């Protein structure tokens, strides 16, 4: 049975002092911070377009102005009133791989992010060859394409993985390891579902209904704000969503549909694509021997109608470098338009530069008159904040999740620590909602509270403790005061403590070694003293601290603490050896437990980014925890 408890202590002055404003950010190095994608707010009606302009070398051209763009709407010239160039940070090959692959463990609602990429992997209707059954070539090719794209993501990009049938979905994350775990679950399933080759559990709307439904759900979940670059990387052998996405077909694509059974849904899908300004890149993993000509054209038209491209052939992975190069920089342009009729309008974008290739969506559905006249107001909605696709940045909220074990039951316990910025000069309570979701998005715990904020307090500490079964979870916290709302999402993975010979809690950082570390002391109480900031001065010392669990007779355990810089050089090392008699247990305990912490001196470290690793070993059993740091 799931239990939960919300703990709202009084303001802890020492903890808040440790979590200074500069220490609560810095999950991305300053040189890697993305530009904010602009929004246009004027008295005229402005349509915002993402436009990629490529030269002969297939690289983005970055020096254009409004005078260089020629835009027509239904063949009528339109004024380009604003042009902004967005330069997307790319991985630096000179930096260690951990800079790209290890995500921050402390999350902030104000953390900058670059592009939003959703990998839609069609395992429901691809990969089946009547002659050989499940085709291993398709499996290997599909995984290779997605892995290559993940390797090319920038440090601020957010990625998500969604399958059309049985794969392991992954919510938006910067953690490349989590994305790759999801990709590894890709097993083409076509032909394995039932006699109709349609995956079970998907509403039957034709052979490709499940694929279309998944794309619909993804596009519906993509927010129209913030106005970041939004990309769908679609791994599929193709399907016929509508007759085609050519200009003639798009001109007929009104909300009323094309006169075919699937047309209203297709119209709504395309309308949402343009509302969220989403670009699709499609890759067929099947090669020329398995993709049909009709489906190949459908993939190409679908992608190109959004300003993207489709790649097929026997080496589709060769399109990944081209995609990454094209997406390394783009323009956000504002086009003046007066359309308020609820109809589809064709767009055509050109530039005056010779031999340039322009990629932009082919059209948009204008808002209906009722929509354009409707007043829009933003209401602080805690329920909407915890169920949304992305964190909400209206109020700063910083959070981390610490996972540890109950040695009696071997259950997993997650303690969520959060600091919410409050309004010192304004009276008003802080309203908080916390929810925990499992990997299937079933709610497993939740609580709401109204907190009286002490007068003059700049931040309020909020904690909650949740007992959960082994598995993947996302904990979400939303906080609102005086109409300003912030929300933060934190991932947690509960290992199966009862089965592992050796396991550990999450690594935390303390300002000093705890005095009361007896077996009876609550680890949750120690966690409340943890530092949420990840930026330190060179005069600081940090104490990495964790619990270690063993099943069966305790053995000697070595814990190696290592700090490496962003070039992969080892800067600090320390070892703690824990003898078997240091592990404590009791008759009813299923696990023996020990605690270890070691102060690390940062004085020899120059300013920069670092990775702290705690490697725990006992014979053949190992466990590893990592935390990113920044030294000023």
């Amino acid at each position: 049975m799931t239990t939960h408890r919300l703990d709202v202590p009084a303001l802890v002055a020492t903890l808040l002092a440790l979590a200074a404003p500069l220490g609560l950010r810095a999950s991305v190095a300053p040189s890697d911070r993305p530009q904010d994608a602009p929004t246009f707010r004027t008295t005229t009606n402005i349509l915002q377009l993402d436009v990629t302009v490529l030269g002969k070398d297939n690289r983005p051209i970055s020096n254009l102005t409004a005078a260089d763009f020629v835009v027509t709407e239904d063949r009528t010239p339109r004024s380009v009133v604003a042009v902004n160039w967005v330069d997307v940070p790319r991985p630096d090959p000179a930096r260690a791989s951990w800079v790209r692959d290890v995500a921050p463990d402390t999350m902030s609602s104000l953390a900058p992010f670059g592009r939003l990429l959703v990998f839609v992997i069609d395992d429901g209707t691809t990969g089946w060859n009547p002659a050989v059954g499940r085709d291993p070539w398709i499996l290997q090719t599909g995984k290779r394409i997605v892995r290559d794209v993940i390797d090319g993501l920038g440090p601020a990009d957010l990625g998500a993985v969604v399958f059309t049938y049985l794969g392991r979905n992954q919510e938006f994350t910067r953690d490349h390891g989590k994305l790759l775990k999801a990709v590894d679950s890709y097993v083409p399933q076509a032909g394995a579902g039932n006699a109709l080759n349609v995956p079970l559990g998907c509403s039957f709307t034709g052979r490709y209904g499940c694929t279309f439904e998944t794309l619909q759900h993804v596009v519906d979940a993509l927010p129209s704000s913030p106005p970041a670059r939004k990309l769908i990387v679609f791994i599929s052998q193709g399907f016929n969503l509508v007759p085609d996405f050519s200009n003639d077909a798009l001109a007929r694509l009104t909300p009323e549909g094309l006169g075919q059974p699937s047309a209203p849904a297709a119209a709504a899908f395309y309308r949402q694509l343009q509302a969220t300004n989403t670009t699709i890149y499609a890759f067929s993993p099947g090669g020329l021997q398995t993709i049909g000509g009709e489906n190949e054209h459908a993939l190409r038209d679908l992608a190109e109608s959004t300003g993207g491209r489709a790649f097929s052939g026997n080496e589709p992975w060769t399109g990944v470098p081209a995609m990454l190069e094209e997406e390394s920089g783009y323009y956000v342009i504002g086009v003046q338009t007066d359309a308020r009729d609820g109809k589809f309008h064709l767009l055509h974008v050109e530039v005056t530069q010779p031999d340039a290739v322009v990629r932009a969506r082919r059209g948009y559905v204008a808002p209906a008159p009722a929509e354009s006249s409707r007043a829009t107001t933003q209401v602080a909605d805690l329920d909407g904040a915890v169920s949304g696709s992305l964190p909400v940045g209206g109020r700063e909220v910083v959070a981390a999740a610490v996972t540890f074990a109950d040695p009696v039951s071997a259950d997993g316990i997650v303690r969520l620590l959060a600091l919410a910025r409050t309004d010192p000069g304004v009276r008003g309570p802080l309203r908080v909602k916390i929810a925990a979701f499992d990997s299937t998005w079933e709610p497993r715990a939740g609580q709401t509270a109204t907190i009286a904020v002490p007068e003059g307090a700049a931040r309020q500490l909020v904690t909650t403790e949740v007992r959960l079964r082994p598995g993947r979870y996302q904990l979400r916290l939303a906080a609102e005061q005086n109409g300003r709302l912030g929300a933060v999402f934190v991932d947690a993975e509960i290992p199966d403590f009862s089965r592992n010979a050796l396991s550990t809690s999450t690594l935390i950082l303390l300002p000093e070694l705890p005095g009361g570390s007896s077996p009876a002391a609550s680890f949750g109480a120690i966690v409340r003293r943890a530092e949420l900031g990840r930026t330190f001065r060179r005069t600081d010392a940090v104490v990495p601290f964790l619990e270690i669990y063993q099943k069966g007779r305790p053995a000697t355990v070595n814990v190696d603490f290592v700090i490496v810089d962003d070039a992969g050089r080892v800067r600090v090392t320390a070892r703690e050896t824990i003898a078997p008699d240091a592990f404590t247990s009791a008759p009813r305990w299923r696990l023996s437990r020990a605690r270890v912490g070691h102060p690390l001196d940062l004085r020899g470290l120059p300013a920069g980014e670092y990775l702290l690793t705690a490697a725990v070993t006992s014979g053949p059993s190992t466990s590893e925890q990592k935390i990113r740091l920044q030294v000023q």
Side-chain angles (χ1 to χ4, degrees):
M1 183 172 62
T2 301
T3 62
H4 52 267
R5 182 175 71 255
L6 186 68
D7 175 22
V8 186
L11 194 64
V12 182
T14 55
L15 180 57
L16 296 181
L18 289 168
L22 286 177
L24 293 179
R25 44 189 177 85
S27 60
V28 180
S31 61
D32 292 332
R33 292 189 183 279
Q35 294 174 233
D36 291 331
T39 54
F40 306 116
R41 297 181 178 89
T42 67
T43 56
T44 58
N45 298 319
I46 302 301
L47 175 67
Q48 180 174 310
L49 294 176
D50 291 354
V51 181
T52 300
V53 184
L54 306 175
K56 289 182 178 180
D57 57 359
N58 203 42
R59 295 185 176 181
I61 299 172
S62 60
N63 59 350
L64 302 182
T65 66
D68 295 309
F69 286 86
V70 178
V71 179
T72 61
E73 178 185 339
D74 299 330
R75 299 182 175 83
T76 301
R78 294 299 186 194
S79 297
V80 177
V81 297
V83 171
N84 287 273
W85 168 254
V86 179
D87 193 22
V88 177
R90 296 282 296 274
D92 184 349
R95 305 184 78 189
S97 60
W98 70 259
V99 178
R100 178 188 67 234
D101 296 336
V102 179
D105 67 306
T106 298
M107 306 304 296
S108 170
S109 61
L110 301 185
F113 59 86
R115 299 166 297 183
L116 303 179
L117 291 92
V118 182
F119 298 93
V120 178
I121 303 178
D122 185 8
D123 61 337
T125 58
T126 59
W128 197 263
N129 187 323
V132 298
R134 186 172 291 133
D135 193 328
W137 194 90
I138 294 176
L139 172 64
Q140 296 164 7
T141 302
K143 288 184 176 181
R144 175 176 179 175
I145 292 167
V146 180
R147 287 169 178 161
D148 287 352
V149 177
I150 292 172
D151 284 344
L153 296 184
D157 292 332
L158 288 173
V161 179
V162 178
F163 289 88
T164 62
Y165 188 18
L166 289 179
R168 166 178 168 164
N169 294 339
Q170 171 61 53
E171 270 290 310
F172 279 116
T173 181
R174 289 187 179 88
D175 192 322
H176 290 190
K178 292 177 181 176
L179 294 174
L180 292 172
K181 277 186 179 180
V183 174
D184 285 341
S185 71
Y186 172 39
V187 178
Q189 299 289 340
N194 53 37
L196 293 172
N197 293 344
V198 178
L200 298 173
C202 177
S203 60
F204 180 73
T205 54
R207 182 180 177 189
Y208 301 106
C210 201
T211 304
F212 179 41
E213 281 185 14
T214 303
L215 284 170
Q216 280 181 306
H217 293 323
V218 167
V219 175
D220 287 343
L222 285 173
S224 57
S225 178
R229 183 72 154 167
K230 303 174 186 71
L231 305 172
I232 292 177
V233 179
F234 184 34
I235 309 299
S236 176
Q237 288 173 247
F239 68 103
N240 228 351
L241 173 62
V242 294
D244 59 59
F245 272 90
S246 64
N247 285 350
D248 289 341
L250 292 177
R252 302 192 303 273
L253 189 59
T254 66
E256 289 73 31
L258 298 171
Q260 298 184 9
S262 63
F269 171 68
Y270 191 79
R271 183 186 183 96
Q272 187 65 8
L273 271 176
Q274 64 86 22
T276 57
N277 212 16
T278 300
T279 302
I280 296 177
Y281 282 86
F283 294 83
S284 171
L288 293 177
Q289 74 275 19
T290 57
I291 187 171
E294 178 183 291
N295 285 352
E296 183 177 3
H297 287 305
L299 269 185
R300 185 183 65 242
D301 288 343
L302 173 64
E304 292 180 357
S305 70
T306 66
R309 295 174 65 187
F311 301 94
S312 57
N314 283 328
E315 296 181 341
W317 56 84
T318 59
V320 172
M323 169 194 159
L324 293 174
E325 186 63 50
E326 291 175 12
E327 289 298 322
S328 65
Y330 62 97
Y331 292 92
V332 180
I333 70 173
V335 179
Q336 183 173 337
T337 175
D338 297 322
R340 289 295 182 270
D341 53 14
K343 296 181 179 180
F344 180 85
H345 296 267
L346 285 174
L347 290 172
H348 185 68
V349 182
E350 293 182 345
V351 295
T352 57
Q353 187 144 337
D355 301 320
V357 175
V358 179
R359 302 196 186 282
R361 53 183 165 138
R362 295 178 184 168
Y364 76 104
V365 178
E371 295 176 357
S372 60
S373 62
R374 186 182 300 127
T376 58
T377 58
Q378 186 173 4
V379 179
D381 180 4
L382 292 176
D383 290 335
V386 297
S387 62
S389 300
L390 292 170
V392 179
R395 175 177 299 278
E396 184 184 30
V397 184
V398 180
V402 179
T403 299
F404 55 101
D406 179 347
V408 178
S409 65
D411 289 341
I413 301 173
V414 178
R415 192 167 185 88
L416 182 69
L417 283 177
L419 283 170
R421 182 181 290 276
T422 56
D423 302 327
V426 181
R427 295 280 184 175
L430 185 72
R431 296 192 304 129
V432 175
K433 184 177 181 66
I434 298 171
F437 299 91
D438 65 17
S439 59
T440 64
W441 285 106
E442 288 293 323
R444 295 302 176 191
Q447 185 62 280
T448 59
T450 299
I451 304 169
V453 179
E455 186 174 354
R459 286 190 174 89
Q460 176 67 49
L461 174 67
V462 180
T463 73
T464 189
E465 193 169 286
V466 185
R467 189 177 296 264
L468 297 168
R469 295 181 179 276
R472 294 183 299 127
Y473 298 88
Q474 188 169 86
L475 281 73
R476 298 183 166 199
L477 183 145
E480 179 272 329
Q481 184 188 28
N482 302 316
R484 289 179 56 226
L485 177 69
V488 66
F489 304 164
V490 181
D491 292 331
E493 186 153 359
I494 310 294
D496 194 338
F497 294 107
S498 66
R499 292 180 178 272
N500 298 337
L502 176 72
S503 53
T504 71
S505 71
T506 304
L507 183 65
I508 63 173
L509 299 182
L510 296 173
E512 60 185 2
L513 281 171
S517 57
S518 67
S522 166
F523 188 58
I526 296 174
V527 169
R528 280 182 50 190
R529 301 175 57 191
E531 300 214 38
L532 287 179
R534 293 294 179 259
T535 300
F536 300 90
R537 298 183 296 271
R538 279 181 283 181
T539 56
D540 293 337
V542 297
V543 180
F545 189 87
L546 74 165
E547 282 194 338
I548 302 171
Y549 314 104
Q550 293 195 73
K551 181 183 177 184
R553 183 183 297 274
T556 300
V557 173
N558 289 319
V559 184
D560 290 293
F561 298 103
V562 180
I563 295 179
V564 299
D565 63 19
D566 62 358
R569 296 184 293 259
V570 176
R571 293 288 192 168
V572 178
T573 61
R575 167 171 279 199
E576 290 278 353
T577 298
I578 308 174
D581 59 6
F583 283 82
T584 59
S585 61
R588 294 189 303 113
W589 287 21
R590 299 177 64 185
L591 303 173
S592 59
R593 179 184 68 187
R595 291 171 177 161
V596 61
H598 189 98
L600 299 179
D601 194 344
L602 305 180
R603 282 179 293 183
L605 300 180
E609 283 195 288
Y610 296 89
L611 181 69
L612 166 62
T613 301
V616 183
T617 59
S618 179
S621 301
T622 63
S623 181
E624 198 171 70
Q625 301 286 337
K626 300 176 185 289
I627 288 181
R628 297 177 65 128
L629 306 175
Q630 188 160 5
V631 175
Q632 292 182 335

